[in-house]
Amino acid sequence: MGTRADFYKVAAENHVEVLRYPMPIIGSMSTEVNGACYIGLDNSKPCTYAEEQARIGHELGHCLYGGFYSMATPFDIVERHEVRADHWYIRHAIPKQVLFDLLKQGRDADEIAEILDTTEEYVRRAYYYYKENPNVADEEYRREEVDYDFPPMAAKNGTESTLAIKQYTRALMPFSVGLALQSVRWPK
């Protein structure tokens, strides 16, 4: 396979805890509690490594630029935060020059996704993002091109952070269901 962006490593380096909890409707989420950021991943159904990395990367986008919202946030602001989180992930997982080099080689979105350990949907989003933003400097966002082994799970049971994710998930669930039904949030 190609080079991997290990978003578990990025999370650990930035003191963002990744927790696993059943969240079948939303798949993943992030929150800030008392100045600490947490990412919750759904553990109720299996997903591929690429899907998991895309979810963590997107949620890291929220954590590292501070783009959180609540149930009271207007939908246009919610969408703005979601798009910014997607763009953060794209810039770190799918470098512009690498994407366009692979396209010049005649690769399709599925092949590029496999090479970069991301999803086909994010490859397409990256293409349009870079086409619409030609001045994005690739060097600013290029990740370290190193192959990593599969990361260990960072889940913890019974800790305060797990409790915070559970409480926040319960509070967010009606909001997330509404968003999913209205197709406001892109699937992760």
Side-chain angles (χ1 to χ4, degrees):
M1 286 234 164
T3 58
R4 286 186 171 164
D6 184 351
F7 289 106
Y8 277 101
K9 182 178 179 184
V10 174
E13 289 170 353
N14 288 281
H15 310 289
V16 176
E17 192 170 355
V18 179
L19 305 165
R20 294 190 165 276
Y21 187 74
M23 293 185 268
I25 295 172
I26 59 175
S28 63
M29 61 170 281
S30 55
T31 187
E32 184 181 12
V33 178
N34 297 326
C37 196
Y38 302 95
I39 294 173
L41 291 178
D42 178 34
N43 67 357
S44 65
K45 57 187 171 189
C47 65
T48 66
Y49 179 80
E51 291 168 334
E52 186 173 271
Q53 288 293 293
R55 287 179 182 169
I56 295 170
H58 171 88
E59 299 305 339
L60 276 170
H62 287 292
C63 293
L64 299 181
Y65 84 82
F68 298 105
Y69 50 87
S70 71
M71 290 173 47
T73 306
F75 284 130
D76 60 331
I77 304 300
V78 169
E79 186 64 18
R80 194 175 312 163
H81 285 303
E82 291 300 324
V83 168
R84 286 181 67 188
D86 274 347
H87 291 172
W88 186 95
Y89 171 71
I90 287 167
R91 290 189 309 263
H92 289 84
I94 310 169
K96 180 180 179 181
Q97 192 60 50
V98 172
L99 173 63
F100 285 102
D101 287 348
L102 290 168
L103 288 169
K104 285 177 188 173
Q105 293 173 15
R107 309 274 187 160
D108 64 15
D110 185 49
E111 291 172 308
I112 295 170
E114 188 173 332
I115 290 167
L116 297 178
D117 284 317
T118 189
T119 64
E120 193 174 332
E121 177 65 28
Y122 270 112
V123 170
R124 286 190 172 87
R125 289 182 198 177
Y127 173 78
Y128 289 111
Y129 170 69
Y130 290 131
K131 281 298 209 181
E132 293 169 5
N133 300 283
N135 297 327
V136 172
D138 199 32
E139 301 79 43
E140 293 177 37
Y141 305 109
R142 186 171 298 273
R143 60 180 158 72
E144 189 178 328
E145 296 196 13
V146 177
D147 277 0
Y148 295 103
D149 291 327
F150 285 94
M153 298 300 170
K156 294 183 179 178
N157 293 318
T159 65
E160 288 181 23
S161 52
T162 302
L163 181 60
I165 286 286
K166 288 178 182 177
Q167 291 171 341
Y168 192 79
T169 302
R170 284 190 197 114
L172 187 64
M173 192 65 75
F175 180 62
S176 297
V177 171
L179 287 177
L181 293 175
Q182 295 177 26
S183 301
V184 173
R185 291 184 62 165
W186 285 350
K188 294 184 179 48

